[in-house]
Amino acid sequence: MKKIITMVVFLAAFNLSAQNFQFHYDFVREHPTLTFEMFKPDKYGNTFTFVDFDFNADAGISQTYFELARVLKTEKMPVGLHVEFNGGLGNGDFDGDGGLDGYTLNNAWIFGANYSKSNAVWGFSAYAGYKAFKDAGKANYQVTGTWYWNIIANKLTFIGFADLWSENGLSEKTIFLTEPQFWFHLNKSFSLGGEVEISNNFAGYDDFKVRPTVAIKWNI
């Protein structure tokens, strides 16, 4: 379950660092996911990272997915330079029999350009780049857009992202993934809400999938 890779630029409007934990329950996959996110802006751009822990095994964590993104941008630059790394590990031992049948998620680097615009009420960010997979025989790409909308100030927020990318060249099938989220803010520390993961050709499935979650978020 990929989370929002650029809460990033929305928070840049306020020039604040932010980090949070999210605990989601996926009704279709029938397992929880714990996510940690961190965003930190500075005078040379911003850094964003997150890690997902899927709990779909008798022994505990079944899969971990990690992203780290850096946008290099100053006030004089209309467009930022985007660099990103993705990767992860999985545990195939879902039955807890002790078998060493783990796996790795294919590492990927993304190099591209980022554009964003934001204020206290709404904002968006978009980047397009070359996506380099380990041992890939063809060139690949990724295009990502993110957004936020503070529908009711300090109470209700709509945020999300949409990804489109290839994994085996421009002539092969593409993968689409979006995860819109609604959050109702109980206070500055805790929010209740959830997301709907909508995907096509994603995570080993060759068709369209819709997977809703319910979640709690702790802002720290």
Side-chain angles (χ1 to χ4, degrees):
M1 182 186 297
K2 182 180 177 183
K3 294 297 170 195
I4 293 179
I5 181 168
T6 30
M7 281 180 69
V8 182
V9 184
F10 342 141
L11 297 173
F14 308 103
N15 198 29
L16 295 174
S17 297
Q19 47 273 325
N20 68 78
F21 286 98
Q22 299 178 24
F23 188 79
H24 289 255
Y25 182 79
D26 188 313
F27 292 104
V28 176
R29 294 184 178 97
E30 297 184 329
H31 70 73
T33 295
L34 177 66
T35 297
F36 173 74
E37 291 182 332
M38 186 198 74
F39 168 72
K40 186 174 182 180
D42 56 62
K43 64 181 179 179
Y44 299 113
N46 57 71
T47 301
F48 175 78
T49 187
F50 80 85
V51 58
D52 279 343
F53 300 95
D54 290 338
F55 293 85
N56 192 27
D58 290 345
I61 296 172
S62 57
Q63 181 172 282
T64 300
Y65 177 74
F66 169 77
E67 290 192 3
L68 176 63
R70 174 68 188 181
V71 175
L72 178 62
K73 185 178 184 298
T74 66
E75 293 182 356
K76 296 181 179 180
M77 296 171 61
V79 176
L81 303 178
H82 184 98
V83 180
E84 179 181 334
F85 172 77
N86 306 335
L89 297 170
N91 169 23
D93 182 25
F94 292 163
D95 297 327
D97 62 3
L100 299 177
D101 51 354
Y103 58 90
T104 60
L105 301 178
N106 201 1
N107 292 342
W109 287 89
I110 301 172
F111 304 92
N114 177 288
Y115 178 78
S116 62
K117 200 169 186 65
S118 61
N119 56 45
V121 178
W122 62 269
F124 72 90
S125 172
Y127 75 81
Y130 173 79
K131 190 165 190 175
F133 290 97
K134 187 178 184 297
D135 298 327
K138 297 181 179 180
N140 293 285
Y141 71 91
Q142 179 163 322
V143 178
T144 293
T146 65
W147 69 87
Y148 76 96
W149 176 24
N150 291 319
I151 301 173
I152 303 174
N154 301 318
K155 281 299 180 183
L156 183 62
T157 303
F158 176 48
I159 63 177
F161 75 89
D163 285 340
L164 182 69
W165 76 92
S166 68
E167 292 186 349
N168 195 26
L170 301 180
S171 62
E172 301 291 336
K173 69 182 181 184
T174 57
I175 297 92
F176 174 75
L177 174 65
T178 183
E179 290 183 1
Q181 297 183 346
F182 279 97
W183 292 104
F184 178 76
H185 309 299
L186 301 176
N187 49 48
K188 291 183 178 180
S189 298
F190 292 98
S191 303
L192 297 176
E195 71 182 21
V196 180
E197 180 189 284
I198 303 169
S199 65
N200 193 51
N201 296 328
F202 176 64
Y205 293 93
D206 295 328
D207 54 1
F208 183 80
K209 297 291 183 181
V210 178
R211 300 182 176 98
T213 78
V214 63
I216 184 169
K217 179 164 63 173
W218 175 32
N219 298 303
I220 55 177

